[in-house]
Amino acid sequence: MKGDFKSGGRLERVLRAGAFAVTGELGPPRHADPEDVRKKAGYLLGNVDSANITDNQTAVVRMSSMAASLIAQGEGLEANMQMVCRDRNRIAMQSDILGAAALGVNNLLILSGDHQSFGDHPEAKNVYDLDSINLIRALRDMRDKGVLMNGRELPEGGRPRLFIGAAYNPFADPEAFRALRAKKKVDAGADFLQSQCIYDMGRYKRFMARAVDLGLTERAFFMAGVTPLKSMGMAKYMRDKVPGIIIPDALIERLKGVPKDRQAEEGVRIACEQIEELKAMEGVSGVHLMLVEWEHMIPAIVRQAGLLPRPVP
Amino acid sequence: MIIAERKPMNEITGFIEGKAKILVVGCRGCVTVCNAGGAKEVEILASLLRLGAEKEGRGLHADELTLERQCDPEYVEELSQLMDGRYGAVLSMACPIGPQYLARRYPEARVFPALNTSFLGGALAHGVWSEFCQACGDCVIHLFGGFCPISRCAKSLLNGPCGGSEGGKCEVSKETDCVWQLIVDKITADGTLDAFMAMDLVKDWRTSRDGGPRRIVRQELLR
């Protein structure tokens, strides 16, 4: 994966330098006060290489990912702006891509998006003009071929220089197809991929072995998603209620064996053990730490997991 | 075919509030097949409305009639003798295409839709119907093992199951099959997986509703 930088951003430079990258996640607030974003950015700055700025995650109305990305970048935190296909058509998404690049965003992560029936506006009409793979390809063509989806050319200096992100979920079904879906994303132009939260390490290993076999890890950077379990209650909730998450019984048992007020600590310990295992796993280029509404724990976790100091690429 | 369902009774009784004489019109097309608006359902609705009125201590005269098809001017014409202002309300039990035909032909009449069009689909079992088509105007099911991801995937994905596919079910409802599980099973079994992997389909929605209200003109059929 040598050659010219796609964006020249920090995340890309860290990954291309072969360092074990760390990304975090910053959920924009459900209001217009930018202080909330600045405060969360403060926890992430210096502890991660880039932070995903979510796009109305779980289909709940929040400050727009582009606005929050800009605020975070104002604090010195590199944004990985998320964009979902749920709310906008190809006109709006290409427009936002051009706008984000113009505002200095380096990374854009494309997702289908959580269905609106899970969110706070279940009455909404969804769009899905394009799916995530359509949009990844469209962005790649805008950047590398300098054309919009309709073939209209972008001037040389007007191409969006973005490092293209995508998501992968080894824990959804059908299991045998998950690596092929990731391949579709890599074929379409994804430069890096971040996984859904990993708890079932055995299944994750099987996925990565297949991804390596398919040559995907030679063509794109695969990052592993880690979310510490805060409590046994959270573990059970995620296991039972969140689609596409598998939590093995052994983990629940391990938390159960710890007093309630020490379960968060145990959850962090489990996450650090996972990170150790992931550092050594073939094809894994970094970890993606998802601590939504637990951002203040990021500094302690990256320190405990031995991920500091972050490299200066 | 069009799968329709009767509106909630309180909505329908709201339509006829204060009316002494109404006409309930059924349709022998799709809504008869899906047991929503045929002669039998017309009889049931008219009886329910009469009973309801009786309970409230007022009379209601409800006539019943079922046309061959309400989406065809030829059959809609059969009502012409009745549309002389004698009915305070006309309840159409066709899919909502029917009441539009009635309202257009009989502008003086107060026409109400008694059914909602639910979707385009078919029966899975007696009493169970499911959506199979979204009328996008450019069918692509042959590229997906004979299944329609546009209408049957909650996100209309074209490149495989989202991260919410679990145990063959859709994350939006455990009652709904994940069409992508069905597609992947089929294309894996029939050897078309490689073709699918190489495919790069971007939908052109101009043939769908997004191109504006649609119309077909067949020159050879024009008289």
Side-chain angles (χ1 to χ4, degrees), chain A residues 90 112-118 125-134 137 149 169 171-174 177-181 183-184 187 196 239 242-245, chain B residues 154-168 171-174 178 180-181 184-185 187-188 193 195-205 210:
Chain A
R90 67 190 77 182
S112 301
D114 297 314
H115 195 267
Q116 75 278 5
S117 59
F118 297 106
K125 185 178 197 294
N126 64 29
V127 181
Y128 294 116
D129 174 20
L130 303 177
D131 72 6
S132 57
I133 290 167
N134 291 156
R137 181 172 275 105
M149 292 187 77
N169 186 355
F171 311 106
D173 290 326
F177 189 76
R178 298 325 301 194
L180 292 177
R181 180 147 164 91
K183 181 176 187 299
K184 276 218 154 206
D187 289 347
Q196 177 61 280
R239 181 191 63 186
V242 183
I245 298 239
Chain B
K155 301 177 186 175
S156 298
L157 301 185
L158 297 175
N159 288 286
C162 77
S165 176
E166 218 173 273
E171 65 175 13
V172 173
S173 164
K174 294 287 168 232
C178 169
W180 273 105
Q181 174 80 54
V184 168
D185 288 348
I187 62 180
T188 305
L193 181 62
F196 169 75
M197 286 301 293
M199 187 175 67
D200 164 28
L201 175 68
V202 178
K203 263 310 252 186
D204 177 343
W205 297 107
D210 309 272

Side-chain angles (χ1 to χ4, degrees), chain A residues 5-66:
Chain A
F5 285 115
K6 305 287 187 190
S7 73
R10 180 186 171 88
L11 176 62
E12 183 183 13
R13 284 182 285 126
V14 168
L15 285 166
R16 293 231 192 181
F20 193 74
V22 180
T23 49
E25 199 150 298
L26 188 160
R30 300 171 73 169
H31 52 71
D33 184 355
E35 265 320 302
D36 194 278
V37 179
R38 293 192 187 110
K39 191 173 160 197
K40 286 176 177 172
Y43 298 127
L44 291 153
L45 184 62
N47 293 309
V48 299
D49 301 310
S50 176
N52 288 35
I53 313 294
T54 54
D55 180 7
N56 298 297
Q57 87 252 22
T58 65
V60 166
V61 172
R62 294 169 181 276
M63 183 189 291
S64 78
S65 62
M66 199 191 308

